[in-house]
Amino acid sequence: MLSLPLITANLQTDFTGREIKYLPKVTSTNTKALELLEAGAKEGTVVLTDNQTAGRGRHGHYWYSGAGKGLAFSIILTPHIVFESASLISLMAGLAVGEAIKKFQLTPRLKWPNDIILSGKKCGGILVETRLQDKMMTSAIVGIGINVNETSTDFPEAIRSDTTSIALEKGTSVQRELTLAWTLNAIERWYLVLKSGKINSIISACENLCAHFGKTVSFTRKGKKIFGVFEGITENGEAIIRFPNDTGKLKLSSQEISIIREK
Ligand code: BTN
C-alpha cells in the first residue's frame, strides 16, 4: 500500500499533491477527480489509487495498471489559459514524468503526444480531460499512469511485448512514492512555466526528450497511411511533419491520430 507520509516527505511543491485523495481501489482516478472538481476541490488536488480497475486511455482504450505495483493518479488543475494551449498541458505532464524517471538513471523518451518510452517500449501514458468556457481552458484533469514495479508477466499478454516498467529497465524495484513525488514536483515547475507564457522552453524540452525528432514517422490520418519527417512541435503542441522530397508540411493535432510510429 502506498504511504502518504513518504510522498509528502519528498514533495517540493506549493499546491500540487498537498491534498491527496487516496482510494485503495477505484474504477478510474480521472473519473473520481472530475467528481471532486465538480464538488469544488482545490487546484493541485491529486486522486491516487493502488488498484485502478477500469483505467481509461486515449481514444477510448483501456489502460492497465498493476495493482500495488504501478502508479495511477490524476491531478486537478485550473489553468485559465487559451484553449489552443490545451495540448501543452499533456506535453508538460509527459515532460515531468520523463524528468522523474531520469532521476532513476534511466533514459526516458517521449513519443508525441504523450507516451513515455523506455528502451523503445511504453512505460507510461497521459490522459488529459479539459473543461472549456468562452475559449478558455478553465480546468484540466491530468491523468497519469506509470508502470513502476510490474514484471513482464504482470502485463496482459496483448501488450506485453510493447510494454515495460521502471523496475524492468533498472533491474530492481523502486519506491512508487518517490516516483510520484518527483513527478508532482516536476509538474508544478512546468505548469508555472506554462502559465508564465514561456511556451518555447516547454517545446524545446519536449523536443529534446522526443524519441522521433528528425526521424521518419508514419501514421494513419483519415484512413490514409502517411509518411513524413517529424520536424518538431508548434506553440500549440501540434506535431510538424515534413513530407518526403520537400512536398510540404503538415501540422498534426493530437486528436487527429492515435499512433505515430517510427518508419
Ligand atoms: C494512454 O496512454 O492512452 C493514456 C493512459 C492514461 C492512464 C491514466 S492512469 C490514471 C488516470 N486514470 C485513468 O483512467 N486514466 C489515467
Side-chain angles (χ1 to χ4, degrees), residues 1 8 36 49 54 64 66 83 115 117 131 133 136 148 152 162 168 186 194 201 211 226 255:
M1 187 179 144
T8 310
L36 291 185
T49 188
Y64 169 84
F83 77 94
D115 282 356
I117 306 290
R131 289 274 159 91
Q133 206 180 356
M136 297 295 279
V148 184
S152 179
D162 298 328
L168 279 169
L194 174 66
S201 55
I226 301 179
Q255 286 82 35

Side-chain angles (χ1 to χ4, degrees), residues 27-31 52 54-59 61-63 65 71-74 114-115 122 124-127 142-146:
T27 51
S28 157
T29 56
N30 265 34
T31 307
Q52 182 171 251
R56 294 190 279 115
R58 294 179 61 238
H59 299 281
H61 293 151
Y62 166 71
W63 174 260
S65 34
L71 276 174
F73 59 100
S74 302
N114 46 19
D115 282 356
K122 185 154 169 169
I126 290 153
L127 176 69
V142 183
I144 302 182
I146 309 176

Side-chain angles (χ1 to χ4, degrees), residues 215-221 224-231 240-250 252 260-263:
K215 293 189 181 159
T216 299
V217 293
S218 72
F219 52 89
T220 305
R221 190 190 192 217
K224 214 174 133 195
K225 188 153 188 179
I226 301 179
F227 290 93
V229 174
F230 191 99
E231 264 204 340
I240 307 167
I241 308 290
R242 183 167 42 84
F243 294 132
N245 310 319
D246 276 333
T247 49
K249 285 185 192 187
L250 174 72
L252 211 56
I260 194 159
R261 295 179 194 283
E262 270 178 49
K263 198 180 171 185

Side-chain angles (χ1 to χ4, degrees), residues 178-240:
L178 203 52
T179 315
L180 174 60
W182 284 344
T183 303
L184 296 178
N185 292 343
I187 292 244
E188 184 167 298
R189 199 165 14 85
W190 283 112
Y191 181 55
L192 295 177
V193 171
L194 174 66
K195 295 236 303 179
S196 73
K198 294 188 197 117
I199 288 168
N200 284 343
S201 55
I202 298 179
I203 303 294
S204 53
C206 282
E207 288 178 345
N208 280 338
L209 267 195
C210 181
H212 36 242
F213 193 67
K215 293 189 181 159
T216 299
V217 293
S218 72
F219 52 89
T220 305
R221 190 190 192 217
K222 295 178 187 158
K224 214 174 133 195
K225 188 153 188 179
I226 301 179
F227 290 93
V229 174
F230 191 99
E231 264 204 340
I233 299 169
T234 70
E235 284 206 336
N236 292 330
E238 301 142 312
I240 307 167

